[in-house]
Amino acid sequence: MGGQAVFLWTDLLLFGLVGCITLAGLAARRSEPMRAAWRRVGESTVGMVSITILALFLVVGLLDSVHYREYLAPGAGASPDAQRVLGTEVRSGLDAFAAPLRTRVEKTYSAPLSYRLFAKQTQEAADGSQQRDFPRLKFGGAHLQYPDEDHAGDVLGRIGLGLALAACAWGVFAGGLVQAVAWSRGVPLGAAWRAVWRGKGGLAWRAVLATLGVLCLILGPVLALATEYHVFGTDKVGQDVLFLTLKSIRTALVIGTLTTLVTLPLAVALGIMAGYLGGWVDDVIQYVYTVLNSIPGVLLIAAAVLMMQVVIDTHPHWFETSAERADARLLALCVILGMTSWTGLCRLLRGETLKLRELEYVQAARAFGVSTARILSRHILPNLMHLVLIALVMDFSGLVLAEAVLSYVGIGVDPNTVSFGTMINAARMELAREPMVWWSLIAAFIFMFVLVLAANLFADVVRDAFDPRA
């Protein structure tokens, strides 16, 4: 049918941020201290494990950030020259890749790997009598002719198939990685494999292979089961919970990364100015972030989000689709979180700048008449970048958790945007059911826990590698 690309603001900013990080990495290769610091990160087992996990989340998030709108099918009797009409639904690359998960919508709740609904319903028997029973799902386990006898064997068989596919995928990954190590070090393939296996392949490639092996052993059976079952069950309206958790990854990445676009310029500029210029400039900047810190963060964010929502509601003509409206609120939330979270980094950079401006090489530059702007850009800022990098990496997990909390209390992302917070908020009422519906909460918790844990471990490794006092 074809379609038309849709560029949301968060898509452009997210891909732009990834591009800037890539360019910064290429530029860092020309600096020996930066290369040495990142080499220490790569030689860390914990660092490479966390990078591998974060890379998997990043791939899913970027795939979900490629949006498009499909053309509607022409109506009956329409002329071939009729203008094609775009549908109102905005889809992503993840929607297309996981189309079976997105389109297989059941009637209501179903447990993980089940072939029946979770609650009994009144059904009409073959003899016309009414009885209450658990109805069969429309999609989950629909291929089973005799589900009571075949269900357990079918699930075990698909798990075995998934493990076999996982072993093949891991073999391909391992072969490609060893080939790359052999090519980069100029050694035979066997020698490269022994070096990687013994942990002497330069970076901690053995940790990468071990992590990929564990991920393949998990993802292989999940993918094999997802073709015929709802691996994490379905929610109240019958949507696949696994698909919802995958959609939540992009929201977490957007909140955790795009907020830095607001935080970084404010914190760096104001922190350096306050520390280096001093006087009334320092007093004004200190007054501003002291006032911001004195206001409870949740109340300030709630007030800003509600005001932004009023602006969005009163200007519906700004948005052509509901996806653009939800994206506007997500972007507004990133800006609001950035405007309220720059104070800590600003205070840290101010204190470090106070120390740097008294060093001999800065005093010598001032004595020779070097301009203030040149001193800040050549002598002060480069010596603060390790603090900036450490702070940004460590703040990522905090921002992901902040979105979950804000969405849980109803002042986070748009209700049409899938996120870990909205899933947990929806699961709050499900826990009060009898019997309890637990799988939505568990799925959101597992994915968010793995993402935040990997980000925290990576932040610890980066801090140890870049902190001169370590």
Side-chain angles (χ1 to χ4, degrees):
M1 292 174 58
Q4 185 182 74
V6 175
F7 300 99
L8 302 178
W9 280 106
T10 53
D11 297 339
L12 299 176
L13 293 175
L14 184 60
F15 280 104
L17 185 59
V18 172
C20 291
I21 293 174
T22 304
L23 294 177
L26 295 176
R29 298 180 61 183
R30 297 195 295 266
S31 172
E32 179 57 33
M34 292 292 290
R35 287 204 307 270
W38 283 113
R39 191 179 302 116
R40 288 193 291 272
V41 174
E43 293 172 351
S44 169
T45 299
V46 176
M48 293 302 284
V49 169
S50 58
I51 288 175
T52 304
I53 296 174
L54 290 175
L56 179 61
F57 279 102
L58 182 61
V59 169
V60 176
L62 293 179
L63 182 63
D64 198 23
S65 298
V66 179
H67 289 97
Y68 65 95
R69 291 168 62 185
E70 291 185 341
Y71 286 107
L72 297 177
S79 63
D81 299 332
Q83 185 177 3
R84 307 179 70 182
V85 180
L86 285 171
T88 58
E89 183 179 4
V90 178
R91 296 175 181 171
S92 68
L94 180 63
D95 295 335
F97 180 78
L101 300 180
R102 177 178 59 86
T103 56
R104 294 184 308 178
V105 179
E106 306 291 352
K107 187 175 182 180
T108 183
Y109 297 112
S110 65
L113 299 179
S114 177
Y115 57 90
R116 295 185 182 274
L117 288 179
F118 190 63
K120 288 185 177 181
Q121 294 183 358
T122 302
Q123 295 179 294
E124 184 175 352
D127 57 359
S129 61
Q130 300 289 327
Q131 61 181 10
R132 291 186 60 80
D133 196 3
F134 297 98
R136 287 286 301 272
L137 298 177
K138 292 190 298 182
F139 302 101
H143 64 291
L144 300 176
Q145 186 175 2
Y146 303 102
D148 294 336
E149 295 82 6
D150 300 339
H151 178 250
D154 185 68
V155 169
L156 292 177
R158 291 183 181 278
I159 291 176
L161 176 61
L163 292 176
L165 294 176
C168 295
W170 184 84
V172 173
F173 284 131
L177 179 59
V178 172
Q179 182 66 47
V181 172
W183 177 79
S184 63
R185 298 171 68 89
V187 297
L189 196 61
W193 174 258
R194 288 191 295 270
V196 170
W197 186 254
R198 295 171 182 173
K200 299 179 180 180
L203 303 181
W205 296 120
R206 183 172 60 180
V208 174
L209 289 179
T211 306
L212 288 176
V214 174
L215 292 175
C216 288
L217 291 178
I218 296 174
L219 296 179
V222 168
L223 293 176
L225 290 169
T227 57
E228 297 293 344
Y229 295 96
H230 301 289
V231 180
F232 288 151
T234 57
D235 63 0
K236 185 176 182 179
V237 295
Q239 291 181 299
D240 191 277
V241 174
L242 175 59
F243 178 70
L244 296 179
T245 52
L246 293 176
K247 294 288 289 185
S248 301
I249 292 175
R250 176 185 181 271
T251 305
L253 292 178
V254 168
I255 292 290
T257 56
L258 295 190
T259 305
T260 61
L261 296 178
V262 182
T263 302
L264 190 60
L266 285 173
V268 173
L270 297 180
I272 292 178
M273 290 172 57
Y276 185 81
L277 299 178
W280 66 269
V281 176
D282 187 17
D283 294 338
V284 170
I285 295 175
Q286 285 192 77
Y287 179 79
V288 171
Y289 67 62
T290 301
V291 170
L292 280 177
N293 283 337
S294 65
I295 304 174
V298 175
L299 296 180
L300 185 61
I301 294 172
V305 168
L306 292 176
M307 287 189 295
M308 182 57 64
Q309 187 61 41
V310 171
V311 174
I312 294 175
D313 292 339
T314 54
H315 298 83
H317 56 280
W318 290 355
F319 314 105
E320 189 173 354
T321 62
S322 60
E324 295 177 358
R325 175 190 176 94
D327 183 74
R329 176 160 174 172
L330 179 60
L331 181 60
L333 182 61
C334 294
V335 174
I336 294 166
L337 286 174
M339 294 293 291
T340 56
S341 61
W342 60 271
T343 57
L345 180 58
C346 179
R347 184 187 294 109
L348 178 64
L349 296 180
R350 172 187 174 274
E352 191 69 15
T353 304
L354 287 173
K355 182 181 69 175
L356 291 176
R357 74 175 185 178
E358 303 300 330
L359 296 181
E360 290 80 0
Y361 64 89
V362 177
Q363 297 289 344
R366 296 169 73 178
F368 279 105
V370 179
S371 64
T372 299
R374 189 170 181 82
I375 292 176
L376 293 179
S377 62
R378 295 294 299 273
H379 300 301
I380 302 296
L381 182 59
N383 289 286
L384 297 175
M385 289 310 297
H386 68 283
L387 294 176
V388 175
L389 180 61
I390 293 170
L392 293 181
V393 175
M394 296 188 71
D395 287 345
F396 174 83
S397 57
L399 292 169
V400 173
L401 295 175
E403 181 277 323
V405 173
L406 294 173
S407 297
Y408 177 77
V409 298
I411 56 174
V413 298
D414 190 88
N416 293 326
T417 302
V418 184
S419 71
F420 294 124
T422 55
M423 290 185 65
I424 294 174
N425 185 31
R428 176 180 56 178
M429 300 303 297
E430 297 172 355
L431 295 177
R433 287 175 55 93
E434 182 59 39
M436 182 176 63
V437 178
W438 49 268
W439 46 86
S440 295
L441 178 63
I442 295 299
F445 173 78
I446 290 175
F447 274 70
M448 187 170 63
F449 174 78
V450 173
L451 176 60
V452 171
L453 178 62
N456 281 338
L457 293 177
F458 179 66
D460 290 339
V461 174
V462 170
R463 180 190 59 195
D464 296 337
F466 281 84
D467 193 349
R469 296 169 296 180

